[in-house]
Amino acid sequence: MLSWVASVSRPGFGCRQWPSDNDHTRAGPSSVCMATDGPGSNAERFRIAKKPWILGIFKGSNYATEATFETSPFKLHKLEQGPSTSVTATRDQALQYYRDMQTIRRLETTAANLYKSKTIRGFCHLYSGQEACAVGMEAAITKEDAVITAYRAHGWTYTRGVPVMGVLAELTGRVSGCAKGKGGSMHMYTQNFYGGNGIVGAQVPLGAGIAFALKYQGKKNVCITLYGDGAANQGQIFEAYNMAKLWDTPCIFVCENNGYGMGTSVERASASTEYYKRGDYIPGIWVDAMDVLAVRSATDFAKQFALKNGPILLECATYRYHGHSMSDPGTSYRSREEVQEVRQKRDPIGLFKERITSAQLVTEEELKKIDGEVRKEVEEAAERAKTDPELPLEELYTHIYTQPPADMRIRGCDPTIWAPTK
């Protein structure tokens, strides 16, 4: 049972409203008042057992500067101890995580609309509902750590540092895209972000190799290697596990289990749905990935473990609101009521909003302001992504090789075409 902690940092009294002992929702508050000894004294700290998942730290009678929350229990495989279920977030972190998740959600909604208007063509796999996975993991690593994922990559591209315009322009095939419009939805890249890979499961051996390179070069960094539950039964996944463990590479294998591999539920596709145990000799952790702070805690633990002991496996239990891709309405293999229930009861943004406002880390007005800023940023980027120049034809022959010879030529579809490259 967690409690709220109040800190008073100035003389006099600070009063705070607390939920009543008999109510674990938000109704029926009772009042607790606190006094200090006077100028120069240390703040008195009061521990009051109340809500099961909030611990708030307040200064005087103002809003909190940080708060500690209780996460859902982690499930462990071949680990005596796991991540802490007591996680702390500062006010600035809370605002940033909320902004990042809202930006991804708004970006994906915009991408869906652009696809429906045929401004975006080809494949388009949306990340809506899974935002806490990318935001929570990114919060626990540095930009020097590596990430590689599958084709549901828009959210990860943003958290790795590509601005909204870079993502949307890539989707519309324009020059301002992060891959100059050549990659599209499934092939986005930036520094230490290796995509965006279109072949199911193919990124997992690559991630094991990136982790090997980090160890070989003596770097104190990890590679987060993500795949979905739909790829979890592939043989190459287990081959990558084996090599990573043989060499004890700093690889964090992450199964983003959103419940469905294309249109097939995990129960129909896998004889064992405990994906965090699939590494056998590799330790594993199950995490409620609708909770951004739980994901952050698990990833922080996993990074420290991988740097000391080698590979570890995370199963991030999450959910996608859209179909597998934009060509899939997502309603033939699950009910609309199921999706709606998750939106109402388990939405990662809604849950986080409830937590940080209840702990008085932030106000409703501040979050509404962020919502407006995010909406404006994404809408402006979408308009620019529609009018941004397309690539000239000669760009078809560039970025094929790294540092090609100055006189190198690339053959086109017509054997009479030999174009310069760079």
Side-chain angles (χ1 to χ4, degrees), residues 27-84:
S30 56
S31 185
V32 175
C33 292
M34 302 148 291
T36 62
D37 293 330
S41 67
N42 292 327
E44 294 187 37
R45 304 175 76 84
F46 295 79
R47 185 172 296 272
I48 306 162
K50 296 293 175 186
K51 277 196 176 184
W53 47 269
I54 293 182
L55 180 83
I57 301 177
F58 297 93
K59 284 194 173 182
S61 57
N62 300 322
Y63 53 74
T65 56
E66 66 177 31
T68 303
F69 306 89
E70 188 76 356
T71 72
S72 298
F74 300 99
K75 300 176 185 178
L76 307 179
H77 172 64
K78 290 192 178 296
L79 289 169
E80 293 184 1
Q81 291 183 326
S84 174

Side-chain angles (χ1 to χ4, degrees), residues 321-337:
Y321 294 149
H322 294 274
H324 171 72
S325 69
M326 284 300 297
S327 61
D328 168 25
T331 54
S332 61
Y333 49 86
R334 59 182 182 178
S335 67
R336 296 181 187 274
E337 290 74 22

Side-chain angles (χ1 to χ4, degrees), residues 166 169-185 187 391:
E170 188 60 36
L171 287 169
T172 58
R174 309 294 174 134
V175 295
S176 296
C178 59
K180 295 193 173 183
K182 296 182 177 183
S185 175
H187 303 288
L391 275 73

Side-chain angles (χ1 to χ4, degrees), residues 39-241:
S41 67
N42 292 327
E44 294 187 37
R45 304 175 76 84
F46 295 79
R47 185 172 296 272
I48 306 162
K50 296 293 175 186
K51 277 196 176 184
W53 47 269
I54 293 182
L55 180 83
I57 301 177
F58 297 93
K59 284 194 173 182
S61 57
N62 300 322
Y63 53 74
T65 56
E66 66 177 31
T68 303
F69 306 89
E70 188 76 356
T71 72
S72 298
F74 300 99
K75 300 176 185 178
L76 307 179
H77 172 64
K78 290 192 178 296
L79 289 169
E80 293 184 1
Q81 291 183 326
S84 174
T85 57
S86 180
V87 292
T88 300
T90 66
R91 169 179 160 79
D92 288 344
Q93 288 172 336
L95 290 169
Q96 190 61 57
Y97 301 162
Y98 181 83
R99 180 183 291 274
D100 288 345
M101 288 194 290
Q102 275 289 36
T103 300
I104 295 172
R105 179 70 59 84
R106 175 69 59 173
L107 188 158
E108 295 294 58
T109 300
T110 300
N113 293 333
L114 290 173
Y115 191 93
K116 291 172 184 176
S117 67
K118 298 185 179 181
T119 304
I120 294 174
R121 303 287 187 129
F123 294 100
C124 188
H125 305 81
L126 303 180
Y127 206 60
S128 300
Q130 301 183 210
E131 296 88 353
C133 295
V135 174
M137 281 185 252
E138 190 66 53
I141 61 176
T142 70
K143 295 303 181 186
E144 286 69 46
D145 291 309
V147 174
I148 187 169
T149 189
Y151 38 75
R152 204 174 302 279
H154 309 162
W156 269 106
T157 305
Y158 173 75
T159 61
R160 288 269 79 191
V162 175
V164 173
M165 176 59 180
V167 177
L168 289 176
E170 188 60 36
L171 287 169
T172 58
R174 309 294 174 134
V175 295
S176 296
C178 59
K180 295 193 173 183
K182 296 182 177 183
S185 175
M186 298 192 293
H187 303 288
M188 298 184 180
Y189 309 92
T190 191
Q191 186 70 31
N192 292 322
F193 179 55
Y194 296 86
N197 291 267
I199 305 301
V200 176
Q203 73 279 4
V204 180
L206 296 178
I210 294 167
F212 176 79
L214 291 171
K215 181 174 182 177
Y216 186 81
Q217 294 168 357
K219 295 181 179 180
K220 299 300 181 182
N221 299 107
V222 298
C223 180
I224 292 182
T225 302
L226 299 114
Y227 57 97
D229 53 275
N233 296 319
Q234 291 203 348
Q236 60 183 328
I237 307 290
F238 296 90
E239 292 176 44
Y241 289 166

